[in-house]
Amino acid sequence: MFMFLVGLFSANACPVYIHIEDHLGNPLSGITVLVDNKPVGISNKAGVLELSLADGTYNIEVKNNQSKSAQTISVVCGETNHFKFTLNASDSNLANLNEVLVQNKSVKKQIEESPFSVQVIDFKKQYEKAGDVGDYLNRASGVKLRTDGNIGSQVQINLGGLQGKAVRIFKDGIPIELFGHGFSLGTIPVNMLDRVEIYKGVMPVYLASDALGGGVNLVTRTSNKNFAEVSYEIASFNTHRATANFYLQNKNNFYGGFNGSFNYSDNDYKVNVPIQNATNEEFRDVKRFHDMTRSNYGEAFVGLKDKSWADDLRLTLIYSDFYKQIQNDAGMVSVYGQAFSKEQNYTGMINYRKKFFDDKLKVSFLTNYSHFNTKFIDTTTVRYNWLGEIIAENMQPGEIRSGNNQRMKYNFVSSRLNMEYQLSDRNFLEFSELYYSQRRKGSDPLGAVSIIDGIDVLTVPATYRKDNMALAWRSLWLESKLESIVAAKYYHYNTEGYTTDNYGFAWTSSKDDSQFGYLGGLKWENNNYLLKLSYEYATRLPDEFEIFGDARLVKENLDLDPEKSHNLNLNGQYTIAKEKSSLTFSGNLFYRKVKDIIFLQLDIPFNRYINYENSEIKGFEFETNYTHRKWLNTGFNITYQDIRRKESESRNKYLDDSRAPNIPFLFGNFWASTYFGNVFEKGDSLNFTWNANYTHRFFLVAIPKNQEPPLFGSVKDFQTSLIIPQDGRLGQFSNDLGVYYHLADQKTTVSVECRNIGDVKLYDNFNVQRPGRSFHLKLVYNFF
């Protein structure tokens, strides 16, 4: 693919920028540009027209009704090709220019100023940073990412008091599960993304999602000019990460590119675990020995832009694979030495965008097909201890439970349609639909078998389909200072599959269900103030895994009902902006009332998902950020979420109004970064960053409200073993440091980072210990 595109663009076409302004320096839009007497386009609102020309000499002419200007230019690819033209404008035109000020807001600012509670992380200036996307999401206000280890481990996101599957994750608006584990929060390097959009509580219409508590949209890198970039990172625990990104476009607006990443880690960091000696059990620091992860992800695309029949038409082909060894259980008591999982993914995707009726109607359509081959192998007859020693032989197959030799094939089809129609200057209609279909079939000789029929239940196909639609009316009021949106949503799903009970009886069953939802939002903006109020009656449909289980430890349940929640957000922001500095304060109050939470019920001999818990969530977020010129950026954020169970059954009445277990409820981040230019030579720069994270102690299990310890007080002896961390700390506090040097050639960046400087013990879930101190070295090189 790379060689094909290099050959296609062998003419060395490169971007050329024509800047047009009047004699006062005001940009002139709508000016016709001719190259060698052939019209090639008109200037935009910034007075700029971008061309794609090969090396050579050209006669450029710019003109309007009053005047024209011409000059001969020489284009040299590899250099900065910016050329300025000046036109005389009439007095009337100058008057109009003096009366009108056009300001183009960035995509980030436009999204953050929508009526929804949303935060955008811009990665354009973060590509030299080490680690993955999850490291930076975890520093956002109101966001808490939790993992069971290092690279490749499952990542669960907590957002506004809700977590797990209640929070949907997307890649460019498509559910992320269609792209496999090779593209996940635990494996995506920052170089792969343009930005991340974090929606809290209320989901925008264009995603048409059935999320219960918000969502995260990962937006991949795009460009309007040619570029090629590679990066390589080496880190502790034999970790290696590499990325490659390039984009090429010719003067006929045909373009192509590639985005790819590679991750490898032994994940052999030290953990403190129980070791059985001759007389008793003692805790020792040992290295993890069976937690290696390897993933590859490659995405190649070609497309056409700015044609009469399409603003953008793109074809994308994706391949990814993922391999993960499994080390331990949630309590870090049981240890495994041979179990592993493996996955391969093939995806094709078509994206089409076009504006109709003088740009009043905007249409975007994306469809894709994905095929997965997965394995879960746990067949060994030996057992291991934490030292990597075999302590038992000739056991029944399976370290984790009863053994598995599972092989599955998944087929996914998904499509998303977005339309926006401009009724007037201040009124817009928006429609969105997301269709999703999944079919799975496989086998497992050691898995669940129907005793009556003698059938491996995985050999019977299971299907799952859902269709989400949303229709919204958006309006601008009071000279666009006030913006409102109201919307209705419709959710539908149906599923068919094989159901078995605990006694081996089996039958074919199905489920079909529909739900309605609605939302509303208001935004008021005036000078330095920004206020938002949003509400959504949200629904999350049960997914394929919750309905069909895994044929290993989790049974089917086709009687699951959707989760439902009332989500309310109140946001405020105030900015003090001066010529050389700015100070921003922002806050968010949120409330959630959740019903029919889907809960994993532990049972013998199998577990299953049921509708069981209800909860009420109240909380707040606060963040402040200070910047001074370009050389200093510092701030902090804090989040508190009071998640309370609402019990109606008499047997659990003693837990009514108790805090939800195993979920952090108080956490925050602190940061500071500095910038210095022309340090060693003219044109270079040096950055220093410090990031810190604090997570307050939280309970592993539910306890009655009257037995909760004070927020900052001491705990009773019986509570110590129920709290994370269990060593008496009030909470977990970790620090990261980074140094980044940009060479004067503006092509090379070298960075060094140290994570968890104090080598403190960190825990996210139960007793699963996260990595200690680690060092990271990363090199980024831009070819052009």
Side-chain angles (χ1 to χ4, degrees):
M1 181 68 183
F2 177 82
M3 295 303 297
F4 168 75
L5 289 170
V6 168
L8 182 66
F9 295 93
S10 58
N12 292 326
C14 54
V16 175
Y17 300 91
I18 306 299
H19 301 258
I20 308 170
E21 58 186 37
D22 64 19
H23 63 280
L24 294 178
N26 298 308
L28 296 178
S29 62
I31 304 300
T32 301
V33 178
L34 295 88
V35 177
D36 294 335
N37 296 319
K38 296 180 180 179
V40 294
I42 62 174
S43 59
N44 60 20
K45 292 181 179 180
V48 177
L49 175 64
E50 180 182 351
L51 305 174
S52 184
L53 300 175
D55 287 314
T57 302
Y58 300 89
N59 181 49
I60 306 295
E61 182 179 358
V62 299
K63 64 180 182 178
N64 59 11
N65 294 330
Q66 288 80 33
S67 62
K68 64 181 181 179
S69 176
Q71 61 177 285
T72 300
I73 66 170
S74 295
V75 175
V76 181
C77 290
E79 297 185 2
T80 301
N81 295 296
H82 290 259
F83 303 96
K84 185 171 73 172
F85 291 77
T86 302
L87 287 179
N88 291 322
S90 65
D91 294 339
S92 59
N93 287 336
L94 287 176
N96 291 333
L97 288 172
N98 289 333
E99 292 171 1
V100 179
L101 176 63
V102 178
Q103 291 182 327
N104 292 326
K105 295 181 179 179
S106 66
V107 175
K108 177 180 184 295
K109 192 171 183 64
Q110 291 178 38
I111 295 174
E112 290 184 331
E113 291 181 357
S114 70
F116 306 116
S117 179
V118 57
Q119 183 175 356
V120 179
I121 303 175
D122 191 348
F123 282 118
K124 291 185 182 70
K125 297 182 180 180
Q126 306 292 332
Y127 295 146
E128 73 274 15
K129 302 298 193 330
D132 52 52
V133 172
D135 297 325
Y136 297 90
L137 270 175
N138 204 36
R139 299 169 188 167
S141 175
V143 179
K144 183 66 178 176
L145 262 66
R146 307 170 67 199
T147 180
D148 292 329
N150 199 26
I151 292 176
S153 298
Q154 182 178 0
V155 177
Q156 182 172 255
I157 185 169
N158 182 298
L159 188 61
L162 295 171
Q163 62 180 355
K165 296 177 181 180
V167 180
R168 294 297 195 193
I169 304 175
F170 301 85
K171 174 187 180 290
D172 298 321
I174 293 294
I176 197 173
E177 52 265 30
L178 274 69
F179 302 96
H181 286 88
F183 193 94
S184 65
L185 293 180
T187 58
I188 310 172
V190 294
N191 304 65
M192 297 287 289
L193 298 183
D194 179 87
R195 66 182 184 275
V196 174
E197 303 165 1
I198 307 169
Y199 295 94
K200 305 172 184 179
V202 180
M203 291 294 289
V205 171
Y206 87 93
L207 289 175
S209 172
D210 60 327
L212 189 72
V216 174
N217 187 31
L218 309 172
V219 181
T220 52
R221 291 178 70 171
T222 58
S223 178
N224 290 319
K225 62 180 180 179
N226 297 341
F227 79 93
E229 176 192 283
V230 295
S231 73
Y232 185 81
E233 175 188 345
I234 184 171
S236 302
F237 322 124
N238 195 25
T239 298
H240 301 266
R241 314 184 78 156
T243 66
N245 304 276
F246 76 85
Y247 176 91
L248 299 171
Q249 180 175 327
N250 67 13
K251 59 184 179 181
N252 294 319
N253 290 329
F254 179 81
Y255 66 88
F258 176 83
N259 298 313
S261 67
F262 167 78
N263 296 277
Y264 177 90
S265 181
D266 287 337
N267 290 327
D268 56 347
Y269 58 92
K270 288 186 177 181
V271 291
N272 189 255
V273 291
I275 303 291
Q276 185 69 42
N277 56 30
T279 58
N280 64 344
E281 189 176 74
E282 62 176 347
F283 279 81
R284 293 168 54 184
D285 290 334
V286 300
K287 280 189 174 183
R288 299 169 70 88
F289 64 91
H290 187 66
D291 196 23
M292 187 269 279
T293 296
R294 182 185 63 247
S295 72
N296 297 281
Y297 180 87
E299 175 182 313
F301 58 89
V302 292
L304 279 167
K305 285 183 178 179
D306 301 327
K307 300 298 179 181
S308 60
W309 45 271
D311 294 336
D312 191 8
L313 176 65
R314 175 183 294 199
L315 169 65
T316 304
L317 299 176
I318 297 172
Y319 170 79
S320 70
D321 65 67
F322 180 79
Y323 175 83
K324 180 76 171 72
Q325 296 176 342
I326 301 172
Q327 179 69 92
N328 55 268
D329 66 347
M332 293 192 73
V333 176
S334 298
V335 57
Y336 314 128
Q338 294 190 32
F340 69 90
S341 64
K342 193 174 182 179
E343 173 190 282
Q344 286 181 314
N345 170 38
Y346 307 87
T347 296
M349 186 162 49
I350 296 176
N351 194 353
Y352 174 81
R353 292 190 297 109
K354 183 72 175 84
K355 297 177 182 178
F356 300 91
F357 310 129
D358 296 327
D359 296 347
K360 287 187 176 182
L361 175 63
K362 301 176 183 178
V363 177
S364 174
F365 179 74
L366 189 153
T367 184
N368 71 306
Y369 169 80
S370 297
H371 175 77
F372 285 80
N373 295 319
T374 68
K375 294 180 181 179
F376 177 77
I377 309 298
D378 179 25
T379 58
T380 184
T381 58
V382 301
R383 302 294 182 265
Y384 292 82
N385 65 10
W386 270 108
L387 299 175
E389 303 168 338
I390 295 177
I391 57 175
E393 297 180 298
N394 301 319
M395 308 291 287
Q396 73 174 27
E399 300 176 271
I400 298 177
R401 195 166 181 175
S402 56
N404 288 96
N405 188 9
Q406 185 186 101
R407 299 163 194 271
M408 301 287 290
K409 293 182 182 295
Y410 293 85
N411 293 300
F412 293 89
V413 175
S414 176
S415 62
R416 192 192 74 233
L417 173 66
N418 294 113
M419 295 191 297
E420 179 185 279
Y421 185 75
Q422 184 177 349
L423 298 171
S424 66
D425 291 341
R426 301 183 182 277
N427 290 276
F428 307 83
L429 277 180
E430 298 177 18
F431 173 80
S432 183
E433 181 178 17
L434 176 66
Y435 173 79
Y436 174 95
S437 174
Q438 178 190 140
R439 183 182 187 272
R440 81 171 194 188
K441 184 179 180 180
S443 65
D444 189 349
L446 302 178
V449 176
S450 168
I451 296 175
I452 303 300
D453 299 327
I455 297 176
D456 178 351
V457 298
L458 290 181
T459 62
V460 179
T463 60
Y464 175 88
R465 293 173 293 273
K466 69 179 178 182
D467 192 12
N468 301 331
M469 289 185 284
L471 179 65
W473 175 32
R474 182 169 59 90
S475 300
L476 303 175
W477 312 85
L478 303 178
E479 298 179 347
S480 299
K481 293 180 181 179
L482 181 66
E483 181 178 350
S484 66
I485 184 170
V486 292
K489 292 186 176 183
Y490 171 75
Y491 313 93
H492 173 260
Y493 83 100
N494 63 73
T495 182
E496 298 175 358
Y498 213 65
T499 298
T500 60
D501 61 18
N502 290 347
Y503 302 100
F505 292 97
W507 62 93
T508 302
S509 57
S510 62
K511 177 72 178 289
D512 189 284
D513 195 6
S514 300
Q515 298 287 327
F516 287 93
Y518 43 88
L519 65 84
L522 285 173
K523 180 208 74 175
W524 179 73
E525 181 182 12
N526 188 24
N527 297 327
N528 298 334
Y529 295 92
L530 178 64
L531 293 175
K532 301 181 186 181
L533 177 65
S534 59
Y535 164 80
E536 181 175 13
Y537 178 60
T539 295
R540 184 185 76 85
L541 305 175
D543 67 12
E544 177 268 351
F545 182 82
E546 293 165 330
I547 292 173
F548 294 117
D550 60 4
R552 304 198 307 265
L553 307 178
V554 181
K555 266 301 194 199
E556 312 90 344
N557 183 1
L558 273 75
D559 294 324
L560 283 174
D561 293 323
E563 298 177 327
K564 294 170 281 292
S565 177
H566 296 276
N567 298 334
L568 184 65
N569 297 275
L570 177 61
N571 304 78
Q573 179 178 298
Y574 176 68
T575 303
I576 303 173
K578 296 184 178 181
E579 182 180 354
K580 298 180 180 181
S581 63
S582 67
L583 178 63
T584 301
F585 302 93
S586 59
N588 178 29
L589 298 175
F590 57 88
Y591 173 81
R592 314 278 186 262
K593 187 175 183 180
V594 192
K595 181 182 179 182
D596 293 330
I597 296 177
I598 297 175
F599 175 77
L600 182 62
Q601 182 186 47
L602 305 180
D603 202 355
I604 298 175
F606 295 102
N607 310 322
R608 75 174 70 238
Y609 284 94
I610 63 171
N611 292 107
Y612 179 64
E613 292 185 336
N614 299 328
S615 68
E616 189 175 64
I617 305 167
K618 304 172 185 175
F620 70 86
E621 305 165 16
F622 178 78
E623 178 171 305
T624 183
N625 192 80
Y626 174 75
T627 60
H628 184 75
R629 284 186 174 177
K630 193 178 178 181
W631 71 271
L632 176 64
N633 183 308
T634 184
F636 72 91
N637 59 47
I638 184 171
T639 300
Y640 176 77
Q641 47 192 26
D642 191 30
I643 312 169
R644 297 290 172 176
R645 297 173 59 170
K646 298 301 175 183
E647 298 289 346
S648 57
E649 296 188 15
S650 57
R651 61 176 180 172
N652 294 317
K653 203 65 178 176
Y654 74 102
L655 291 176
D656 185 46
D657 210 31
S658 64
R659 198 183 294 277
N662 196 35
I663 302 178
F665 58 88
L666 177 61
F667 49 88
N669 299 277
F670 314 84
W671 64 88
S673 63
T674 60
Y675 172 91
F676 302 96
N678 304 321
V679 179
F680 301 107
E681 58 180 317
K682 186 177 181 180
D684 71 355
S685 62
L686 188 64
N687 299 69
F688 296 91
T689 65
W690 167 71
N691 294 284
N693 175 266
Y694 175 78
T695 303
H696 199 63
R697 65 189 180 197
F698 57 97
F699 277 87
L700 282 169
V701 297
I703 64 171
K705 185 177 181 179
N706 58 10
Q707 296 183 14
E708 290 180 12
L711 186 61
F712 296 102
S714 60
V715 300
K716 299 178 182 179
D717 291 339
F718 84 94
Q719 296 171 331
T720 304
S721 61
L722 307 177
I723 287 180
I724 297 178
Q726 299 178 349
D727 51 16
R729 284 179 289 167
L730 188 63
Q732 305 174 67
F733 186 81
S734 63
N735 293 268
D736 304 331
L737 278 178
V739 182
Y740 313 91
Y741 180 63
H742 302 258
L743 275 67
D745 62 9
Q746 300 298 310
K747 292 184 176 182
T748 310
T749 303
V750 180
S751 63
V752 179
E753 294 185 18
C754 180
R755 304 279 180 88
N756 191 2
I757 300 170
D759 198 26
V760 299
K761 293 178 181 178
L762 302 175
Y763 304 86
D764 277 344
N765 293 311
F766 300 104
N767 292 314
V768 181
Q769 191 172 333
R770 294 190 57 202
R773 184 189 298 115
S774 63
F775 297 93
H776 304 254
L777 173 65
K778 184 174 181 179
L779 174 68
V780 181
Y781 183 76
N782 290 278
F783 291 94
F784 55 86

